[in-house]
């Protein structure tokens, strides 16, 4: 047992001597309350320890004991539906153990040791296995089948494996390793959070993560296995966008990391997610969700651990062949934790006081996303998509965390407070957002949605950019100075903004839109544009065109139920033709 004594306490940073035999990133227990900490720097026999709990009451001379193991998470059945803190302690179990407030130094196992799971073995005595092979399965929730995997770097022959009802620590079998030693097989394994879990091969992301949010799917799509950031000032709708992605995205599982968010925002998530129905299964959304709640009033250091805890759990499910989305809210608070620890370690500060290694630390998180061929003989594929919210002060995206993130991720959904104040949701600014996956995903969209998809969505963006240029002229000389053709462009752009890009998260048929309905809605707007321009050329008046009753029907088309949209859109198409033909016929009268 490696034991040292505290020399200095500075907030979450504790410096202890007599730790020469300890290793970097070892977990330690600090003081008589056994607070959880992690060694983040070594100088001779002095260890700088990042403590994940409140250090009040800890003083010079108190004992520090190293566990000799890195910060690790427990992986096995029972992760889903659970709510953890930043170092994977289950909040519900902690509350049950403490009569009132959660006490410091409390030890609660991450996975419930008493719950019994039914295990169905896929393999039998004498089968040879290597890393990533599937021993068998457990129905973890009504919607997710949990695969019990051979841990990485293990291979050998099964000498015992049985189906039945087990707790996570019970022996379900035995594995004879290649060196002759026999190891027990259980439903649970451990993995250090700072080490990425291995895979067989990384694949290019060529399939979109469909969110049902029209501005995202049509203009700025993210691939399964892709990375995205959502920067925006306070009140611009970051949390709402993330809730929509968690609810509607076509992924198998969601890991939601509340990293240093305000307590009331995290409370909303904790109360809302269990109540939300999963649109695909009709069950509670929590059946395929892991929540990591780490609010801004919790110790700052635990924010850093929460990001790694979340992505490691996500990698574990990815290794089973699932598509997983990690939603981190927000990486700015995480970066603030890095800045505070860097300052206390007296490191040379970078821009705005952030550590010089900020970009590399962010990259370590986002690089763990990707679409992969998993370890194991069945060639299964899994995907991990990472979406991080960034909260720049005052919405200034030139600050270091946003800029460092933009250098790493491939999708930028820039939120705009002026859109949010106009009640335009999602408040993603179409003029400064981008997706570097558009071209790579074009083949999938052409094959699975429409051959015109890329042309249509490209034309949408072009019209919106033209509108922005025309608005500058309107500010100077007024709308009446524009030609009828330019005024028509403004009318169509308004229709795109209000009838296509704007979405109501509380309206059942508008909260999520299937891709084929999105394409039909775009083509309906373009059909009006094309026929209206022909009517203009034939002598119709631009004012009369803008006041046609069918305009209102186009505006309401997005809320038409999915099973009726083809019939309704055909009726609207017919009305567009009929009303514009009537205008042309009466143009000379």
């Amino acid at each position: 047992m490696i034991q040292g004594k505290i020399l200095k306490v500075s907030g979450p940073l504790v410096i202890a001597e007599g730790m020469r035999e300890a290793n970097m990133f070892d977990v330690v227990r600090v003081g008589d309350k056994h607070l959880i900490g992690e060694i983040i720097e070594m100088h001779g026999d002095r260890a700088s320890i990042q403590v994940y709990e409140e250090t009040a009451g800890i003083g010079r001379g108190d004992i520090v004991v190293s566990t000799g193991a890195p910060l690790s998470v427990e992986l096995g059945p029972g992760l889903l539906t659970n709510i953890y803190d930043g170092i994977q302690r289950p909040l519900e179990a902690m509350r049950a153990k403490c009569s009132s407030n959660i006490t410091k130094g409390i030890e609660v196992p991450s996975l419930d040791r008493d719950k019994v799971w039914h295990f169905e073995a896929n393999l039998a005595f004498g089968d040879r296995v290597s890393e990533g092979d599937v021993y068998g399965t457990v129905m973890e929730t009504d919607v997710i089948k949990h695969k019990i995997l051979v841990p990485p770097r293990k291979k050998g022959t099964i000498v015992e494996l049985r189906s039945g009802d087990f707790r996570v620590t019970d022996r379900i079998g035995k594995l004879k390793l290649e060196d002759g030693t026999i190891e027990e097989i259980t439903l649970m394994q451990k993995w250090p959070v700072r080490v990425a879990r291995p895979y067989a091969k990384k694949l290019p992301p060529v399939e979109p993560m469909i969110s049902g949010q029209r501005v995202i799917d049509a203009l700025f799509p993210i691939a399964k296995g892709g990375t995205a950031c959502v920067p925006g000032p306070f009140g611009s709708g970051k949390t709402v966008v993330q809730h929509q992605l968690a609810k509607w995205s076509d992924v198998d599982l969601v890991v939601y990391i509340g990293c240093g968010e305000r307590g009331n925002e995290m409370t909303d998530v904790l109360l809302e997610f269990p109540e939300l129905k999963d649109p695909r299964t009709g069950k509670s959304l929590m059946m395929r969700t892991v929540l990591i709640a780490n609010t801004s009033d919790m110790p700052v250091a635990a924010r850093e651990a929460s990001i790694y805890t979340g992505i490691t759990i996500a990698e574990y499910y990815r290794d089973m062949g699932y598509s997983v989305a990690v939603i981190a809210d927000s990486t700015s608070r995480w970066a603030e934790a890095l800045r505070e620890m860097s300052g206390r370690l007296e490191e040379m500060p970078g821009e705005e006081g952030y550590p010089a290694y900020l970009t590399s630390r962010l990259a370590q998180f986002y690089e763990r996303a990707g679409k992969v061929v998993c370890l194991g003989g069945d060639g299964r594929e899994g995907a991990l998509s990472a979406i991080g919210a960034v909260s720049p002060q005052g919405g200034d995206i030139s600050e270091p965390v946003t800029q460092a993130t933009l250098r790493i991720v491939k999708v930028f959904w820039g939120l705009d407070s002026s859109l949010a104040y106009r009640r335009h949701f999602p408040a993603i600014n179409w003029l400064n957002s981008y997706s570097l996956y558009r071209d790579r995903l074009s083949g999938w969209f052409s094959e699975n949605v429409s051959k015109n998809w890329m042309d249509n969505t490209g034309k949408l963006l072009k019209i919106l950019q033209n509108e922005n240029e025309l608005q500058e002229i309107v500010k100077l000389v007024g709308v009446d100075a524009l030609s009828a053709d330019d005024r028509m462009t403004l009318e169509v752009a308004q229709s795109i903004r209000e009838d296509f890009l704007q979405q109501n998260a509380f309206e059942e048929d508008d909260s999520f839109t299937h891709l084929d309905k999105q394409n039909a809605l775009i083509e309906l707007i373009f059909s009006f544009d094309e026929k209206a321009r022909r009517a203009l050329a034939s002598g119709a008046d631009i004012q009369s065109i803008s006041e046609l009753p069918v305009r209102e029907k186009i505006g309401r088309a997005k809320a038409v139920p999915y099973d009726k949209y083809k019939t309704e859109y055909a009726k609207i198409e017919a009305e567009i033709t009929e009303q514009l033909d009537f205008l042309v016929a009466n143009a000379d009268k």
Side-chain angles (χ1 to χ4, degrees):
M1 183 173 70
I2 302 160
Q3 191 169 301
K5 283 189 177 180
I6 293 177
L7 281 177
K8 174 185 170 186
V9 179
S10 173
L13 176 68
V14 167
I15 295 175
E17 63 179 355
M19 305 289 288
R20 189 179 295 276
E21 301 300 316
N23 296 312
M24 277 286 285
F25 300 121
D26 274 3
V27 172
V28 296
R29 292 290 182 169
V30 180
D32 56 358
K33 298 259 189 188
H34 304 292
L35 307 185
I36 298 172
E38 184 184 18
I39 297 174
I40 55 171
E41 200 171 88
M42 293 286 293
H43 291 289
D45 74 335
R46 290 191 179 185
S48 298
I49 298 161
Q50 180 170 257
V51 183
Y52 293 128
E53 299 182 76
E54 179 58 56
T55 56
I58 301 294
R60 186 182 172 93
D62 284 354
I63 299 297
V64 172
V65 180
S66 172
T67 61
L71 184 66
S72 302
V73 286
E74 293 183 350
L75 303 169
L79 288 168
L80 292 176
T81 74
N82 227 323
I83 301 166
Y84 293 107
D85 72 356
I87 46 178
Q88 211 206 5
R89 295 183 300 180
L91 295 178
E92 231 8 274
M94 286 163 71
R95 192 186 68 166
K97 192 169 181 179
C98 305
S99 53
S100 55
N101 290 335
I102 292 172
T103 53
K104 292 194 286 185
I106 184 172
E107 285 192 62
V108 179
S110 303
L111 297 177
D112 190 339
R113 297 296 193 259
D114 298 321
K115 188 163 183 179
V116 174
W117 303 94
H118 182 71
F119 171 72
E120 284 287 341
N122 286 1
L123 303 172
F125 175 83
D127 286 345
R128 282 193 59 75
V129 294
S130 61
E131 52 184 351
D133 286 339
V134 181
Y135 285 128
T137 57
V138 168
M139 277 309 292
E140 185 173 3
T141 66
D142 292 347
V143 296
I144 295 295
K145 187 178 276 188
H146 191 112
K147 295 170 187 171
I148 307 301
L149 306 173
V150 179
R153 299 190 283 273
K154 294 280 171 74
K155 54 176 66 177
T157 306
I158 293 173
V159 291
E160 180 193 332
L161 192 66
R162 56 209 166 101
S163 300
D165 296 330
F166 304 99
R167 293 186 291 262
V168 289
T169 51
D170 291 345
R171 190 185 85 216
I172 61 171
K174 291 179 181 176
L175 180 67
K176 186 177 182 180
L177 301 176
E178 291 189 326
D179 62 1
T181 56
I182 290 182
E183 197 173 83
E184 288 191 351
I185 304 168
T186 65
L187 297 178
M188 182 184 85
Q189 57 178 273
K190 283 192 168 187
W191 190 262
V193 297
R194 293 180 186 275
V195 179
R197 284 178 65 89
Y199 48 82
K201 181 184 175 186
K202 201 153 195 172
L203 299 170
V206 291
E207 184 184 346
M209 188 181 93
I210 300 160
S211 66
Q213 310 308 298
R214 295 186 289 269
V215 65
I216 291 174
D217 291 341
L219 302 185
F220 314 112
I222 177 175
K224 279 185 180 173
T227 53
C229 81
V230 195
F234 175 77
S236 59
K238 290 186 295 295
T239 307
V240 183
V241 168
Q242 291 183 311
H243 284 204
Q244 286 293 90
L245 290 171
K247 182 177 180 182
W248 293 110
S249 295
D250 66 334
V251 292
D252 300 308
L253 295 107
V254 174
V255 179
Y256 190 99
I257 308 166
C259 181
E261 278 306 290
R262 295 169 186 82
N264 59 336
E265 287 191 15
M266 204 63 228
T267 306
D268 282 348
V269 174
L270 299 183
L271 293 175
E272 191 177 320
F273 270 45
E275 298 296 320
L276 286 175
K277 270 194 176 177
D278 185 346
R280 294 192 293 171
T281 62
K283 310 275 185 185
S284 166
L285 192 62
M286 283 298 288
M287 292 282 184
R288 58 181 184 94
T289 305
V290 181
L291 289 179
I292 295 172
N294 197 52
T295 55
S296 52
D297 61 341
M298 291 180 176
V300 168
R303 295 181 193 174
E304 202 213 351
S306 63
I307 288 281
Y308 295 111
T309 299
I311 198 113
T312 306
I313 291 170
E315 283 178 332
Y316 176 60
Y317 282 102
R318 176 209 68 191
D319 291 346
M320 296 179 201
Y322 289 120
S323 175
V324 189
V326 172
I327 297 175
D329 187 11
S330 86
T331 53
S332 293
R333 310 273 191 275
W334 175 72
E336 284 167 11
L338 287 182
R339 178 166 64 181
E340 176 162 340
M341 290 308 298
S342 176
R344 291 185 186 278
L345 288 166
E346 298 176 6
E347 295 173 338
M348 182 69 75
E351 192 181 351
E352 290 189 24
Y354 288 101
Y357 47 78
L358 172 65
T359 306
S360 64
R361 285 290 181 87
L362 278 165
Q364 283 170 15
F365 168 67
Y366 285 108
E367 279 170 359
R368 289 169 75 168
K371 187 174 183 183
V372 302
V373 176
C374 308
L375 294 174
D378 57 0
R380 61 186 180 274
E381 294 179 4
L384 196 169
S385 311
I387 300 154
V390 188
S391 312
Q393 292 181 353
D396 175 18
I397 64 168
S398 65
E399 57 87 46
V401 183
T402 311
Q403 288 303 307
T405 306
L406 290 181
R407 284 198 285 273
I408 299 158
V409 301
K410 300 286 193 294
V411 179
F412 170 61
W413 297 320
L415 296 175
D416 190 328
S417 55
S418 65
L419 285 175
Y421 295 147
R422 297 207 304 262
R423 299 292 184 266
H424 180 110
F425 172 82
I428 294 173
N429 188 319
W430 47 85
L431 296 172
N432 60 14
S433 301
Y434 62 81
S435 169
L436 301 182
Y437 293 117
R438 261 182 72 82
D439 292 341
R440 187 166 274 181
L441 298 174
S442 61
W444 189 94
F445 282 120
S446 299
E447 193 176 319
N448 294 278
V449 186
S450 165
K451 288 180 180 176
N452 301 325
W453 176 268
M454 296 307 291
D455 290 339
N456 285 345
T457 54
K459 188 177 172 185
L460 274 187
L461 271 175
K462 193 170 182 183
I463 290 171
L464 291 168
Q465 286 161 355
N466 287 347
E467 181 206 27
N468 187 52
E469 292 164 10
L470 289 170
Q471 290 290 4
E472 296 298 319
I473 298 169
V474 169
K475 285 174 190 173
L476 291 172
V477 293
V479 72
D480 294 332
L482 295 179
S483 66
D485 209 44
D486 284 344
R487 285 181 67 181
M488 192 65 229
T489 299
L490 291 181
E491 290 289 333
V492 175
Q494 183 185 357
S495 184
I496 291 168
R497 284 188 286 105
E498 295 176 3
D499 307 338
F500 182 77
L501 297 182
Q502 196 170 350
Q503 250 171 296
N504 186 343
F506 298 103
E507 171 131 7
E508 192 176 339
D509 293 305
D510 193 24
S511 185
F512 174 90
T513 309
H514 293 270
L515 292 180
D516 51 348
K517 184 181 170 186
Q518 289 187 34
N519 192 59
L521 185 53
I522 295 171
E523 291 188 337
L524 195 63
I525 293 168
F526 286 167
S527 172
F528 176 79
D529 179 31
E530 185 188 333
K531 289 171 181 173
R533 288 183 193 278
R534 281 209 299 264
L536 274 176
S538 301
D541 176 47
I542 181 67
Q543 191 65 32
S544 303
I545 290 173
S546 66
E547 291 170 358
L548 285 176
V550 77
R551 288 293 305 278
E552 189 180 336
K553 291 202 173 179
I554 296 171
R556 293 174 184 233
K558 60 186 176 184
V560 172
Y562 180 66
D563 56 348
K564 296 178 181 173
Y565 88 87
K566 287 183 181 175
T567 313
E568 290 299 316
Y569 284 17
K571 286 181 186 173
I572 296 170
E573 181 81 46
E575 285 187 43
I576 290 170
T577 306
E578 183 186 325
Q579 291 180 22
L580 285 168
D581 284 350
F582 180 80
L583 271 187
V584 171
N586 291 276
D588 300 326
K589 294 179 184 177

